[in-house]
Amino acid sequence: MKFWEYVSSIASTLFRLAVYVFLQIIPSRLAKPVLPTLYTLYISSTFLPQATEPALPSSKRWIRITNLAVNTILLLAAADAALAPFWDHANHVVFTRVRAVNHDSLKIVARYPFATNTRIRWRETDGEWSDGPTFNFTEELDWVDTISIGGLSSATDYEYTIDNITVYSVRTFPEPGQPSRFTFLASSCITPNFPYRGPWARRSIRGFDYIATYLRHPTAFMMFLGDFIYADVPVYIGDDKNAYRRLYRRNHASEEFRSVFERLPIFHTYDDHEFINNYAGADHAPPYTNAVDAYKIYNGDGSYYDFEYGDTSFFVMDTRLYRDKRTMLGDTQVRDLISWLERVNNTHAFKFIVSSVPFTSLWTHDAQVDSWAAFAEEKAQLMQVLCKVPNVLVISGDRHEFAEIELLCPDRDQPVREFSTSPTSMFYIPFIRTLQPKTDEAAEQQEKVIKYVPTGNYKFSAFEVDTLNSSKPVVRVSLIVAGEMVYRTEIVGTPLPFLPMSPSTALGTFFGQMGVQEILDRLGVDPRRWF
């Protein structure tokens, strides 16, 4: 076998292996230079004039043509997967969904291209219809608008319609502070048509099929933990307003996603891939403006917020737009987080803190520079506060794996517990494990893994919260992988009431021995305005 025939055989094999990895294992940005290079090498080495003797690929014409056809089809499949986000505009997608809900109001987002003033109608289930607010759909906002309906009754079933044909249902939350039993879902990270299933599945997000099936169980809402779009995987779409909006339209055009969002309110936060990989936005560096524009139109108001379901409270952190080399959250968000903890400590049985990136420092590789592990001082100070508050749970995503982590508190038996779940519908990496089982014994903050499930392209967690028995509040967590429950655990909380947390102690944890004026400056407080 001649030299070029060896090259042809090796290039063909490596090309097919690389395509398989790209389409089925991880849609890496490395495919952009690697696949064309290997294909070009295969073509040039196969059809050189000197490659005339029988070889692999065979000089027999029909075998060589067959191999060429197979490799070309694989190249086209890879190109389809990489380029679909650019040319699949989904301009005509129409949808309506609940973007937020509480005990007395709803936020409803809708997209109706080329419609103008469209009024929503709503009612209590089986009641009389009432005219609600009017949507103002404009091309400037991509034919999307969000309206609010207020003055609703708590824990009540409602219906609403826009076109007077399709009727959607939603249930308001219980009164704040009321003991309750409910289930919510959490996960993150989606990309249409991955693993790749052909050009006919370009908008398919298969993970939502499993969530839709789970909804036969009563479910109050879903918490989507970030990476709703991948602006930079496998190819960066560019810092372009229309490109970012296009990715949101494409996901809303997924029938699998529609089967969920038409039945379930979804709260969102963003992570890095709504912007670009490992984005830190304290200085609002590009692509901040265009990325946030699309996010706010489709998924939320942006930044951090809190909400409550009965006597369970949630604080959704913004881990991207305030981070710099010193801080993940920024001083104002830290202040608001502590204020929230003080407010709900004695009134809410469970407190969920939502972080788009893992709070634990046990994940290795790039998590050491992009997750809370890279902000050790801020995390340590925050842990001192969290260890004063019973029944705190952290939920996170990002790592394309599942883990239950205990972050130990030195002065009490109850740890802070974290559940990190992803992806909803995206890649995981087989064979490679990136989570350490526990911290080094000499580490100041002790953490250990309770359960680790790295495998699975389709994962979400179901949190069943039950505070009806005030002496035994419980959270039961189930991990669902490709429609099968593979893990379940129960956390028994400390009953109310708790001792109030001292604001001075909490703030002192963060600001240490700084002078009074420096503390006020860090908090953005001007005493001159008090008089």
Side-chain angles (χ1 to χ4, degrees):
M1 183 181 292
K2 294 182 179 180
F3 170 76
W4 284 109
E5 293 165 353
Y6 281 109
V7 172
S8 176
S9 178
I10 293 171
S12 179
T13 301
L14 290 177
F15 172 75
R16 294 180 185 187
L17 178 61
V19 170
Y20 176 80
V21 170
F22 176 68
L23 295 180
Q24 300 297 318
I25 298 179
I26 179 170
S28 171
R29 288 182 290 271
L30 293 175
K32 183 178 178 181
V34 169
L35 294 183
T37 299
L38 289 175
Y39 183 81
T40 301
L41 181 59
Y42 157 72
I43 289 292
S44 59
S45 60
T46 299
F47 295 98
L48 284 174
Q50 57 265 47
T52 57
E53 297 180 14
L56 290 176
S58 173
S59 59
K60 293 181 179 179
R61 184 174 180 81
W62 67 270
I63 295 180
R64 297 172 69 188
I65 291 176
T66 299
N67 285 333
L68 174 63
V70 168
N71 286 346
T72 301
I73 289 171
L74 291 175
L75 180 67
L76 293 174
D80 178 59
L83 299 178
F86 289 87
W87 57 261
D88 184 8
H89 295 278
N91 284 326
H92 300 290
V93 62
V94 173
F95 69 84
T96 305
R97 69 181 181 101
V98 175
R99 195 162 84 175
V101 58
N102 60 28
H103 69 286
D104 63 357
S105 65
L106 303 171
K107 276 188 176 181
I108 298 172
V109 58
R111 185 178 195 270
Y112 276 73
F114 310 111
T116 51
N117 295 328
T118 305
R119 185 176 298 277
I120 193 169
R121 304 183 72 217
W122 62 275
R123 67 178 182 179
E124 285 191 30
T125 301
D126 299 327
E128 295 295 324
W129 288 102
S130 298
D131 288 335
T134 298
F135 287 99
N136 182 25
F137 301 115
T138 65
E139 186 175 8
E140 180 183 3
L141 294 178
D142 209 23
W143 306 106
V144 180
D145 194 20
T146 301
I147 57 94
S148 297
I149 302 175
L152 306 180
S153 300
S154 61
T156 301
D157 292 317
Y158 286 90
E159 296 176 332
Y160 64 94
T161 183
I162 293 179
D163 57 12
N164 294 316
I165 299 173
T166 307
V167 177
Y168 305 96
S169 299
V170 63
R171 183 175 178 83
T172 52
F173 290 176
E175 288 286 342
Q178 179 180 330
S180 54
R181 180 166 54 207
F182 69 101
T183 297
F184 73 93
L185 311 181
S187 189
S188 72
C189 308
I190 58 173
T191 289
N193 201 17
F194 191 87
Y196 185 75
R197 293 190 290 154
W200 47 84
R202 289 190 183 110
R203 296 177 179 175
S204 173
I205 307 176
R206 193 176 181 186
F208 283 117
D209 268 342
Y210 297 112
I211 293 176
T213 299
Y214 183 87
L215 293 183
R216 66 178 183 270
H217 305 284
T219 306
F221 63 91
M222 180 176 185
M223 189 72 241
F224 198 88
L225 307 170
D227 292 342
F228 180 79
I229 64 168
Y230 276 74
D232 57 338
V233 175
V235 180
Y236 181 44
I237 60 171
D239 186 8
D240 177 78
K241 177 177 67 176
N242 291 324
Y244 276 94
R245 292 179 176 186
R246 182 173 66 241
L247 294 185
Y248 285 90
R249 290 197 302 269
R250 185 175 179 230
N251 284 359
H252 281 83
S254 162
E255 290 302 317
E256 293 86 351
F257 185 36
R258 183 180 298 274
S259 70
V260 173
F261 71 64
E262 289 186 344
R263 301 160 61 189
L264 190 69
I266 302 177
F267 293 82
H268 286 266
T269 187
Y270 41 59
D271 197 31
D272 55 337
H273 291 290
E274 279 90 350
F275 301 87
I276 198 168
N277 190 45
N278 292 354
Y279 183 73
D283 57 356
H284 287 186
Y288 169 83
T289 301
N290 290 323
V292 166
D293 163 83
Y295 177 86
K296 288 184 176 181
I297 288 174
Y298 281 90
N299 280 7
D301 297 328
S303 200
Y304 58 93
Y305 59 95
D306 67 274
F307 66 96
E308 52 199 345
Y309 189 105
D311 63 347
T312 299
S313 192
F314 297 79
F315 189 97
V316 183
M317 296 192 292
D318 185 332
T319 66
R320 289 294 164 187
L321 291 195
Y322 304 95
R323 70 159 71 190
D324 55 27
K325 294 180 179 180
R326 178 184 64 85
T327 176
M328 168 89 76
L329 302 181
D331 297 330
T332 301
Q333 186 174 184
V334 166
R335 178 190 61 193
D336 291 343
L337 173 58
I338 292 173
S339 297
W340 170 78
L341 287 167
E342 293 165 357
R343 186 173 72 249
V344 303
N345 178 45
N346 218 33
T347 58
H348 289 68
F350 287 104
K351 301 94 181 168
F352 286 91
I353 296 177
V354 179
S355 174
S356 66
V357 294
F359 194 61
T360 180
S361 299
L362 293 177
W363 260 294
T364 57
H365 298 279
D366 65 325
Q368 291 295 304
V369 298
D370 189 54
S371 75
W372 278 94
F375 300 87
E377 181 178 354
E378 187 174 38
K379 175 186 171 181
Q381 293 170 340
L382 187 56
M383 273 298 298
Q384 291 181 50
V385 179
L386 297 183
C387 284
K388 301 178 187 298
V389 182
N391 303 346
V392 172
L393 293 91
V394 178
I395 57 177
S396 64
D398 182 62
R399 298 308 302 167
H400 297 223
E401 298 177 319
F402 169 87
E404 178 187 354
I405 309 290
E406 280 189 353
L407 299 97
L408 304 183
C409 295
D411 299 326
R412 74 177 193 199
D413 293 334
Q414 188 186 60
V416 174
R417 200 175 298 255
E418 176 178 8
F419 292 90
S420 188
T421 311
S422 60
T424 306
S425 195
M426 214 342 186
F427 72 85
Y428 77 96
I429 300 178
F431 311 121
I432 299 174
R433 300 295 174 255
T434 63
L435 186 66
Q436 302 176 84
K438 62 180 180 179
T439 51
D440 186 85
E441 293 183 1
E444 182 177 346
Q445 173 62 56
Q446 290 294 303
E447 304 174 9
K448 62 179 182 179
V449 176
I450 304 301
K451 183 67 175 180
Y452 179 41
V453 181
T455 57
N457 295 105
Y458 316 108
K459 294 194 284 287
F460 65 92
S461 288
F463 294 80
E464 304 168 41
V465 183
D466 186 351
T467 64
L468 295 178
N469 183 350
S470 60
S471 64
K472 188 183 177 181
V474 175
V475 175
R476 301 177 183 90
V477 184
S478 302
L479 171 65
I480 315 298
V481 180
E484 300 293 329
M485 186 175 70
V486 301
Y487 177 63
R488 184 173 173 85
T489 189
E490 179 178 282
I491 301 164
V492 178
T494 301
L496 291 170
F498 309 128
L499 293 175
M501 182 177 62
S502 166
S504 60
T505 300
L507 293 176
T509 297
F510 269 85
F511 299 113
Q513 303 302 314
M514 288 190 294
V516 172
Q517 185 58 52
E518 190 174 357
I519 291 174
L520 295 176
D521 291 343
R522 289 282 296 277
L523 291 176
V525 176
D526 185 355
R528 291 171 295 182
R529 298 178 182 174
W530 299 347
F531 302 100

